[in-house]
Each structure stands twice: as C-alpha cells, then as structure tokens.
Amino acid sequence: MAETFSPDDLPLEKPARYREVEAMIASVVAGETSHTARYATAVSLLVQAFGPRFFWTGFYVVDPLKPTELVVGPYQGTLGCLRIPFGRGVCGAAAASGQTQLVKDVHAFPGHIACDSRSNSEIVVPVYNASGALAAVLDVDSTELAAFDEEDQAGLESICGILLRA
C-alpha cells in the first residue's frame, strides 16, 4: 500500500484526510512489533499527507532508563532537541499532564523550547502503549501561527490512539 501512496489521492477535507491516513498507518504497521518502525511509518505518512504545514513532525519517546525524560525518536524536519524533561516545553507539558497540547503561538507558551526558531505553532499528542502507559508524544510544529485546530487534534489523537495497538 505505501508504495502507491500519493497525497493527491487523499480527500481535501481535513477530517476525511486524517481518517484515510489513519487507515493507511494501521494497514502498514499491522503485525509490526517494532515501535520505531511504527513511529517512522506514521511520521512519513503524516508529512506526505499534511506537508508543508507539518514543518517538523516526530516522536519523543519515554526513555526507559530515565522515565521522566523524553528522547528524540523518528522524525522528519530540521534538527530536533535530543532530550526533553517532563514538564518542560510543550512536549514536556503533554508528557507530564497526559493531555494534548494545542498551542497556536509557541512564543506565548511559558517555558517553550525553541529547537528551531522558525516554529510558530505546535501540537503535541500523548501516545500510550497497550497497557495504558505513556510511551511517547507525537510533536508537530508549523512555521505558521495557529496552524493547528480541533480537527487536527481529533485526527492526531485518533492516530496516536491506534498507533501501538493496530
């Protein structure tokens, strides 16, 4: 399926586009045991479907040796921060609270970590494993202000909800 993927074949309406991408991700990762492969697949398909609005897209994974830190995982974009403590920045806030962070202007977010100064808005969604423990966060940045809305939140939360369970 992935070999024939074209963003031009996806619906223009955002919710429908997210549903199609979610179905593709679920199909490609079905039976895959590697979380890294699952994350990399999701990043690739999301960037293809929503780029260039998705300026930086990737996962920060809970470090099993330092369980209150996130470490960069598969991503596409400019150089990312290597580690983010829980509670610091948008990613750390999502990890600490277990709640999606939808930030229309990152420069107004207290404690924002500027891995790339061109980022202006961000959405970060927690990813839970099959046992319900936080495994990672999906981080998507945009150079546009207010690039993400509740439709993006619903679509990305749905994708993250199946990512380690499909």
Side-chain angles (χ1 to χ4, degrees), residues 21-96:
V21 172
E22 180 179 337
M24 281 187 249
I25 291 169
S27 175
V28 173
V29 304
E32 177 54 58
T33 58
S34 167
H35 288 184
T36 302
R38 287 170 173 263
Y39 296 145
T41 297
V43 167
S44 177
L45 290 172
L46 285 167
V47 168
Q48 288 180 63
F50 295 101
R53 184 169 60 102
F54 281 34
F55 170 68
W56 195 98
T57 306
F59 290 90
Y60 282 95
V61 180
V62 176
D63 185 335
L65 300 177
K66 296 181 178 180
T68 60
E69 285 187 15
L70 300 167
V71 62
V72 72
Y75 73 92
Q76 290 187 22
T78 59
L79 186 63
C81 298
L82 295 183
R83 291 187 170 272
I84 299 173
F86 280 32
R88 184 152 182 256
V90 182
C91 289

Side-chain angles (χ1 to χ4, degrees), residues 12-28:
L12 292 176
E13 180 196 31
K14 211 179 339 179
R17 183 171 279 238
Y18 274 112
R19 286 190 298 274
E20 288 286 325
V21 172
E22 180 179 337
M24 281 187 249
I25 291 169
S27 175
V28 173

Side-chain angles (χ1 to χ4, degrees), residues 100-159:
T100 296
Q101 303 293 304
L102 177 60
V103 181
K104 300 199 181 280
D105 180 355
V106 296
H107 308 291
F109 189 90
H112 174 251
I113 302 169
C115 297
D116 188 315
S117 62
R118 293 174 289 175
S119 291
N120 285 308
S121 61
E122 186 171 4
I123 185 168
V124 180
V125 181
V127 179
Y128 296 96
N129 63 24
S131 64
L134 180 70
V137 297
L138 169 62
D139 180 18
V140 184
D141 291 31
S142 180
T143 57
E144 303 168 29
L145 286 168
F148 308 109
D149 59 21
E150 289 73 18
E151 288 179 343
D152 294 294
Q153 181 173 344
L156 293 171
E157 286 177 345
S158 186
I159 288 168

